[in-house]
Structures are given as C-alpha cells and as structure tokens.
Amino acid sequence: MDAVRNHICHAFGDLEREAVYDAIFSRRDVRSHFRSDPIDDVVLARLLAAAHHAPSVGFMQPWDFIVIRDQKRREAVRDLFLAARAQELPHIAEERQALYRKLKLEGICESALNLCITCDRQRSENSPLGRWHNPQMDLFSTVCAVQNFWLAARAEGIGVGWVSILDAGSLKDLLGIPDHVVPVAYLCVGHVREFAVQPDLERNGWASRLPLRDLVMSERYAGTGEDALKAAASAITGKK
C-alpha cells in the first residue's frame, strides 16, 4: 500500500517523466507512413482504456468508440472526405490552393483501422455538475479522451491521424450515429514506418509553431511580466 501511495503522491522518476514528455513532443498527426499490418487487440484495448480514463467534467464519461475495419466502409468515408475537401478548397486563400492540393490529409484506407470517437450528449443530461454554465463541457471532455488515446498510441509506436475534413451529418448517416450523439473525432490508426521529425504541415511550409513565450500572459489578457517563465519556456521549446 505504501508503494502505491508513493506512486500516486510523488513525481515520476526521471525516466518515466522523460517518457511522458517524449510522447507529447514526438506525437504527430499521421497522414502517410502507415503500414497495413493489424494492431493487436490487446494493444488496442490498452489505448481505449487510456482514452476511457480521460478527465471528464462531472465524471460524465460521454464518449463511445466505433472501431471501423471494413474496407468498403472506409472507402465510403474517404469519399466523404474527398467531397468535403472539394468544398473546402474554394475557401482557401488562392495563393495557398496549390499547396493545399499537394498536402496528404488522411490515411483512411491505408491505416490498419479507423476509430470514430463520439460524444453522447444525453448521457449526463440530468446532471448539471460542471455543465450548468458551460454546456459544452461534455464535448471538451471527449476531446480529452482523444488526446489520451493519441499519446498512448505514440507510446506504443502507433500512429494516429485526425481527419477533420468531413461533413458530420453525412458521417452520422454512414455510421448510423443517433441524432443526440456527436462525432467528435474520426481517427486513422495504425503502425507506421516512421514518425516525422516535424509535423507535416510545418515541414510543408503551411505554418510554423508559435513561440511559447509569446503566448504566456501575466495576471490578465495581454498582461506583461513573467519574464523568467518566458525565458525558461524559450529554453525548453528551443530544444524540441
């Protein structure tokens, strides 16, 4: 019991702590590099257990996990992606459309499986705890489950790609998702040949990571100060 208490109450050892940060900093939104070999069900169960242990406001646990292996169904989802991408293209700045067309933005059919993580908005409708002033907290809690799944997958050497270019209504129809359930994340999941050193969009010149020191404020929005913290943040992120 003492060992359990010490584990809960104290910081991780150096190796364990570095492993957590390594998973965070080396996590990638994988669109390519997927291998087709299957994921062992025991490993997938561990990832889902990690997702299921995400924080949830009011302990509502609003998430469900739809595992999608059927190739025909995934091809249908990819058709939805292609249609949504065609709709999105005209809204991209004209000078960036050529780059947009070149970007690999999904691995729906190449990955070992797909996973749709949903939010059941009726699961805690009778409990206002944490939701009275912010009814979106069930959706935010589900996003925490997505992040848990993603980081655990990185620790297992498994890639995850979030496909956000999808029409939610069409996806719900295809997967038989009830009206009161929201598809929060559609994920491509599988073993990969490599994890890129840089995020794909950064490597392709779409955007760069913002300096952390520019995002740290003191006491109020745009409040100045915290110079020592900003210097430490610069030193840390400069190594990543």
Side-chain angles (χ1 to χ4, degrees):
M1 183 61 70
D2 287 342
V4 173
R5 187 178 297 112
N6 287 338
H7 177 72
I8 293 174
C9 296
H10 297 113
F12 289 179
D14 291 346
L15 291 178
E16 292 87 353
R17 183 180 65 247
E18 286 303 312
V20 171
Y21 285 113
D22 190 37
I24 292 170
F25 287 123
S26 65
R27 180 210 57 80
R28 292 291 176 262
D29 192 352
V30 178
R31 289 87 179 269
S32 53
H33 310 304
F34 278 116
R35 303 190 332 241
S36 60
D37 47 310
I39 299 173
D40 188 280
D41 279 349
V42 174
V43 175
L44 181 57
R46 283 202 296 265
L47 303 185
L48 293 176
H52 187 46
H53 280 74
S56 64
V57 172
F59 205 45
M60 63 181 72
Q61 306 165 76
W63 43 70
D64 289 293
F65 308 99
I66 306 173
V67 179
I68 303 159
R69 305 180 193 266
D70 181 73
Q71 192 66 22
K72 292 292 186 183
R73 194 181 308 276
R74 289 197 276 161
E75 288 172 1
V77 174
R78 190 168 190 272
D79 288 343
L80 295 182
F81 162 81
L82 293 173
R85 184 171 182 173
Q87 293 171 340
E88 185 175 75
L89 178 61
H91 301 282
I92 302 296
E94 187 173 352
E95 66 272 14
R96 308 192 84 187
Q97 287 187 10
L99 174 57
Y100 178 85
R101 290 189 184 96
K102 294 178 182 178
L103 293 172
K104 171 73 169 170
L105 297 177
E106 53 79 32
I108 295 169
C109 294
E110 298 92 335
S111 55
L113 58 89
N114 295 176
L115 181 72
C116 186
I117 301 182
T118 64
C119 176
D120 185 338
R121 308 214 67 192
Q122 291 183 355
R123 188 161 294 166
S124 296
E125 63 181 351
N126 295 323
S127 174
L129 177 60
R131 297 180 64 196
W132 181 254
H133 294 94
N134 190 348
Q136 306 300 311
M137 292 309 297
D138 54 348
L139 296 169
F140 299 162
S141 297
T142 304
V143 173
C144 290
V146 176
Q147 181 78 336
N148 268 23
F149 182 91
W150 213 332
L151 293 176
R154 180 61 190 91
E156 298 275 4
I158 292 172
V160 175
W162 188 330
V163 184
S164 59
I165 306 174
L166 288 170
D167 177 76
S170 299
L171 183 64
K172 289 178 72 166
D173 289 342
L174 180 62
L175 300 183
I177 298 173
D179 289 342
H180 68 279
V181 175
V182 176
V184 170
Y186 192 90
L187 307 177
C188 308
V189 184
H191 297 285
V192 293
R193 294 186 296 276
E194 63 176 320
F195 286 94
V197 175
Q198 287 181 296
D200 285 352
L201 292 182
E202 185 173 26
R203 180 170 52 83
N204 284 286
W206 186 264
S208 298
R209 191 177 301 280
L210 299 173
L212 176 57
R213 65 170 296 124
D214 295 346
L215 310 177
V216 177
M217 305 172 187
S218 179
E219 304 296 344
R220 59 184 178 85
Y221 193 86
T224 58
E226 296 291 353
D227 291 340
L229 174 59
K230 292 177 181 179
S234 295
I236 292 170
T237 56
K239 300 175 182 177
K240 302 301 180 185

